[in-house]
Amino acid sequence: MASLYILLVLPIFAALRVEATGKCNPDIIRKIQTTNNCPWGVLAKLNKMGVFTQAVLPVAEVPDVVKCWSGSVDFRFGPFSRAHANIYFKDGSVKRVGYNQMELFCGQVNESFEGANYKIYFLNIDDTSACYYRCQDDDNADLCNTAGEDFGGCVIPVSKVGDPAAQAAIATCKQSLADVGVTTQLQDLQLCTK
């Protein structure tokens, strides 16, 4: 019998998963690092987006009970920042989650939540979207029920939900994820609008 676990997707995003399995794929990471032009200031750019909403996730990461995800990243202090996620459920309830982030280099952010550590590699980030690959590369991942599988996704600022440039960025992100080897089927999500 499967159990549902909450796991963090990005700072401010969460998904419900049926099982905990996934590790970082070194081939995908290598491809990202050779094509992403080594972005810097990722936490500052996420902070500048204001409130953002999860636009794309793999089909397997999207439970029927969730309406939408939103989040934000606090102003960074050195390489560190706090992030906040809001998960809006169809029954009207909201789950709020906080976690820590640390920016490393060339678009990599490490994220921690209740003893679990995740790596997020940004393929692209600008004022209309952030395209990322999220994974866990931890020897203790099998002991942590929040491990989840590795996957790609896209967030856009809530203020740009209706912006054609943001919609185009979502399509570009899907193609970029496929180009680096993320093969899971992606799904467009209902966007949070406030």
Side-chain angles (χ1 to χ4, degrees):
M1 184 166 133
S3 299
L4 290 177
Y5 301 106
I6 291 184
L7 53 97
L8 295 176
V9 174
L10 214 205
I12 312 250
F13 305 99
L16 298 175
R17 272 302 277 157
V18 175
E19 52 189 81
T21 59
K23 292 279 190 175
C24 292
N25 183 319
D27 292 331
I28 291 174
I29 294 167
R30 182 181 45 76
K31 288 175 185 174
I32 290 170
Q33 290 174 337
T34 60
T35 60
N36 71 355
N37 295 318
C38 197
W40 289 91
V42 170
L43 293 177
K45 290 175 184 176
L46 289 169
N47 171 263
K48 189 175 177 182
M49 279 187 182
V51 178
F52 48 91
T53 183
Q54 187 75 41
V56 172
L57 277 178
V59 171
E61 297 288 339
V62 184
D64 288 338
V65 296
V66 173
K67 179 180 176 184
C68 67
W69 287 269
S70 73
S72 62
V73 173
D74 291 345
F75 188 77
R76 70 183 181 92
F77 181 74
F80 303 99
S81 187
R82 291 275 301 151
H84 311 276
N86 296 307
I87 309 158
Y88 296 92
F89 294 92
K90 290 181 180 175
D91 68 1
S93 63
V94 179
K95 168 107 175 140
R96 289 180 170 76
V97 180
Y99 43 104
N100 298 310
Q101 295 182 316
M102 180 177 71
E103 185 167 350
L104 297 179
F105 56 90
C106 290
Q108 181 184 344
V109 171
N110 285 356
E111 183 173 274
S112 62
F113 171 75
E114 293 184 355
N117 296 301
Y118 304 95
K119 295 184 180 200
I120 302 168
Y121 296 88
F122 287 85
L123 287 75
N124 181 48
I125 182 167
D126 58 31
D127 63 345
T128 58
S129 71
C131 184
Y132 65 89
Y133 169 69
R134 175 207 180 267
C135 59
Q136 187 175 46
D137 194 13
D138 183 347
D139 291 337
N140 296 318
D142 294 336
L143 302 175
C144 180
N145 288 334
T146 58
E149 291 191 25
D150 63 324
F151 57 83
C154 181
V155 300
I156 63 171
V158 167
S159 64
K160 298 194 179 203
V161 165
D163 187 334
Q167 296 303 314
I170 293 168
T172 299
C173 178
K174 289 179 191 177
Q175 184 59 55
S176 297
L177 288 167
D179 291 346
V180 297
V182 177
T183 59
T184 53
Q185 181 183 357
L186 297 174
Q187 176 177 333
D188 292 328
L189 304 177
Q190 179 175 336
L191 303 174
C192 293
T193 56
K194 57 181 177 173

